[in-house]
Amino acid sequence: MDEETERLDALTQQAGRWLALSASPAERHTTAVVAGPYDRVAWRDVYARSAALRELAAQLLTRHAHAPDLLADVFLCAYQAAPRLRDSTVMAPSRLLHHQVVTALTQSPGFSALRRDTAGDAYAAAMAVLAQASALRGLLERSREVRERTGRADRARQEAEAAAAAVGEALRQAAEKADGQGQVPAPVAAAVRRAVGAAEAAEDEARREDGAAAQAMAAAVPGIRSAARNAASAAAEAVRQEAALMRAWGVDAGETERMPFEERARLAERLRSGRLARWAELIGRFRQMADGERARKVEHATGELVGVTLGDDLSRVIPSELAVLGVPELRAVFAARYAAGELMLYDSRGEQGTGRGAVIACVDTSHSMYAEGPGGVTREAWSKACALALLDQARHAGRDFVGILFSAADKLQVFRFPGDRPARVTDVLDFAETFLGGGTDFQRPLGTAAKILEEEFDDASRARGDIVLITDDACEVSATWTRLWNEIKRRLDFRLFGIAIATPGTATASGSVLESLCDNLRTVDDLTDVHRAADLFRVI
């Protein structure tokens, strides 16, 4: 063979391995969680809509060049019902930290519980990411050596792949220069050998960097697992608190999932920071109590159930008596007992049966309602919580609800919630958060409530509404107003329930204004007690 030439097949054999590498370099993934098109769209959409996520990504970018990929993986872990992770061997070295983080997250005891609230809910999954912000910042700060090592390994691997590609290019040029017998000029052959040598050196360097990165990662694993557990716990608690807050305010999961992202974020912030945010637990307890009292209601039995008596009122016959009618031989006995007025009936006392007109809550918002009682609960908080439970009560019965906030004679605001359509949560919040301040006047709010019931009667022929007056004060009413009030009350057959909060005994004493106006009057001194008004929800 001429010293100036070499055969192409010999060069190809020498560089065969590098030619294969250059033809099909291994795919290196930048995300640890396998995601379909829908999942990727969900992440891009929530990232574009959430300023908080973009701000977090910008903060983390000062520590980690691939922070958006890390956030995407953390989001997908929470968003997917059963996240599937790639094998670490197919990950780009610079993203191996992400793989370890999401592996630790998915193995955390609290993360499966978290996914019950976040799976399929892009907003909740984004909130879980934000709740882990502090833990992620700390983790990236403590894993600086890992990030540096994996970054070097990534660059070394890219250089090795580029060197393999250079071998392929050198062989291509050699093929072009070969003559008919496959002889290649010496300079071209030397270029191939140099490319192969460079590729071998780059591969050796990549292996060394891979080993150093693996050692650094192994040393960091315990810290990553600890940080992941803390992050998962923080996320689960944040999501749980927001879900509880939504439930306390009567916002169900289906309603929030249908909300646009921005609207839901604004609602959550408003619930967390509004005037009554600290009383969410009280509001939730009131609603639960009212729901329980509704379950205790006996249909067609008037007033408060107190036992069993004898009589002939078929609307109050207890079920065991009615069962007798199913036995032909005993029907004559039933008829005889009915004729003698000796059937067993539910016995009740107190109030008359449930109304059919609107439920109207007149809530005092004078300055004194700022006062706190036991447990730091304010009079306003107790009153608004009771009113919101009454709103639920009205909606459960298909009745209109009207909230009237009042203080002095010139301060009054009316909030209407028709029974034939869902109550918008923003309107409910407006009602709950509005506070007028000033003194106390009964005539205008009660007169407004009576006028609303009168309009309802004229328009829809619905009578027997219910008004609940919640106040911590007493005031005088004129004789003229009282006469007009009694006249319209007789005509429309509505009831007035009074709740006096931490008022002096004289305000509710016999002959007082409150006592004379109200069909039923109760006092509340312990503002942590939601059961003081429990019987209201059995008769309204």
Side-chain angles (χ1 to χ4, degrees):
M1 181 182 295
D2 192 317
E3 292 182 358
E4 297 298 319
T5 61
E6 293 192 32
R7 292 193 62 82
L8 180 60
D9 56 352
L11 293 173
T12 303
Q13 184 177 4
Q14 181 184 17
R17 185 165 68 91
W18 307 104
L19 185 61
L21 288 174
S22 66
S24 57
E27 183 180 7
R28 299 289 174 176
H29 292 280
T30 57
T31 55
V33 182
V34 178
Y38 180 83
D39 294 334
R40 289 192 290 270
V41 167
W43 164 247
R44 288 196 296 268
D45 182 65
V46 78
Y47 186 82
R49 292 172 180 271
S50 173
L53 277 178
R54 296 194 300 275
E55 182 180 348
L56 175 59
Q59 292 173 0
L60 296 184
L61 277 170
T62 62
R63 297 174 172 85
H64 182 42
H66 309 299
D69 289 340
L70 174 60
L71 294 183
D73 277 332
V74 175
F75 169 84
L76 291 170
C77 273
Y79 182 68
Q80 295 180 343
R84 185 164 59 91
L85 305 188
R86 305 184 195 279
D87 192 279
S88 61
T89 58
V90 301
M91 295 292 297
S94 59
R95 306 320 199 272
L96 287 175
L97 176 64
H98 305 180
H99 190 280
Q100 189 60 54
V101 169
V102 296
T103 298
L105 279 175
T106 55
Q107 294 175 352
S108 297
F111 210 75
S112 57
L114 170 68
R115 280 201 299 270
R116 285 197 290 269
D117 291 319
T118 60
D121 187 338
Y123 172 86
M127 183 184 171
V129 175
L130 293 172
Q132 298 175 76
S134 178
L136 291 174
R137 280 192 290 265
L139 187 150
L140 290 178
E141 189 64 35
R142 291 188 297 273
S143 62
R144 182 176 302 174
E145 182 179 357
V146 173
R147 290 185 286 109
E148 290 176 355
R149 287 293 187 182
T150 55
R152 290 176 190 171
D154 208 1
R155 290 189 293 273
R157 180 56 54 193
Q158 291 172 8
E159 290 171 3
E161 291 173 354
V167 172
E169 177 60 20
L171 284 172
R172 185 188 64 79
Q173 292 182 9
E176 291 178 353
K177 299 291 185 179
D179 60 18
Q181 286 75 41
Q183 300 296 323
V184 177
V188 176
V192 172
R193 287 193 293 273
R194 285 195 300 273
V196 170
E200 289 175 341
E203 180 65 18
D204 289 342
E205 179 65 16
R207 288 196 190 97
R208 283 193 295 272
E209 292 295 347
D210 284 345
Q215 289 181 355
M217 184 66 73
V221 164
I224 292 173
R225 288 176 178 167
S226 176
R229 283 195 298 270
N230 293 337
S233 297
E237 181 61 22
V239 171
R240 188 162 48 246
Q241 285 181 358
E242 180 161 308
L245 195 61
M246 293 286 185
R247 287 193 299 271
W249 282 93
V251 185
D252 61 48
E255 184 178 355
T256 55
E257 289 175 7
R258 291 190 296 270
M259 285 183 182
F261 183 90
E262 299 90 338
E263 181 181 346
R264 185 168 172 183
R266 287 193 300 269
L267 172 61
E269 178 60 27
R270 187 173 179 185
L271 292 180
R272 284 192 295 268
S273 59
R275 279 178 48 78
L276 296 185
R278 60 186 289 213
W279 310 122
E281 189 268 341
L282 176 70
I283 293 168
R285 284 198 295 122
F286 240 111
R287 284 184 145 138
Q288 290 173 4
M289 177 274 294
D291 188 57
E293 293 304 318
R294 279 195 294 272
R296 292 177 57 192
K297 275 189 175 183
V298 178
E299 295 298 328
H300 311 301
T302 59
E304 180 184 5
L305 180 63
V306 295
V308 175
T309 187
L310 299 178
D312 59 0
D313 185 349
L314 295 177
S315 68
R316 293 191 289 136
V317 174
I318 67 174
S320 61
E321 286 279 45
L322 293 175
V324 171
L325 293 175
V327 181
E329 294 82 358
L330 297 178
R331 289 173 184 169
V333 176
F334 180 91
R337 293 180 61 192
Y338 171 62
E342 295 179 351
L343 294 174
M344 287 190 291
L345 315 175
Y346 284 117
D347 191 15
S348 60
R349 70 182 180 196
E351 294 88 2
Q352 57 180 313
T354 301
R356 290 294 178 267
V359 176
I360 302 178
C362 297
V363 181
D364 188 347
T365 60
S366 59
H367 281 309
S368 58
M369 294 292 283
Y370 276 127
E372 293 185 356
V377 180
T378 64
R379 298 172 184 180
E380 179 202 10
W382 194 97
S383 302
K384 297 287 184 61
C386 182
L388 292 175
L390 287 169
L391 167 60
D392 289 348
Q393 189 81 355
R395 302 204 65 75
H396 183 80
R399 301 166 67 184
D400 292 352
F401 176 82
V402 181
I404 299 178
L405 304 180
F406 70 93
S407 56
D410 60 339
K411 293 184 177 182
L412 182 139
Q413 197 161 343
V414 178
F415 296 83
R416 294 176 180 261
F417 299 91
D420 60 355
R421 68 189 71 138
R424 293 178 53 198
V425 66
T426 52
D427 294 339
V428 174
L429 286 171
D430 287 341
F431 166 62
E433 293 179 342
T434 299
F435 193 89
L436 303 177
T440 304
D441 172 78
F442 291 163
Q443 291 187 179
R444 189 176 177 202
L446 290 178
T448 301
K451 185 176 181 181
I452 291 171
L453 292 176
E454 184 175 34
E455 292 170 351
E456 183 182 41
F457 179 78
D458 292 341
D459 294 342
S461 299
R462 288 199 296 267
R464 296 179 61 208
D466 292 306
I467 303 173
V468 180
L469 174 65
I470 310 175
T471 182
D472 70 340
D473 207 347
C475 69
E476 297 300 320
V477 293
S478 70
T480 301
W481 182 90
T482 302
R483 184 177 66 256
L484 294 173
W485 167 263
N486 290 332
E487 289 176 359
I488 195 171
K489 189 172 184 296
R490 280 193 298 271
R491 185 163 66 88
L492 300 180
D493 193 24
F494 61 77
R495 299 175 294 182
L496 175 61
F497 298 87
I499 302 177
I501 301 178
T503 55
T506 55
T508 56
S510 177
S512 66
V513 171
L514 280 175
E515 195 275 338
S516 62
L517 287 175
C518 297
D519 300 291
N520 180 295
L521 177 63
R522 71 214 62 218
T523 60
V524 176
D525 295 316
D526 183 358
L527 299 184
T528 64
D529 181 10
V530 301
H531 294 281
R532 190 68 184 91
D535 58 321
L536 278 179
F537 299 94
R538 292 197 296 272
V539 296
I540 289 182

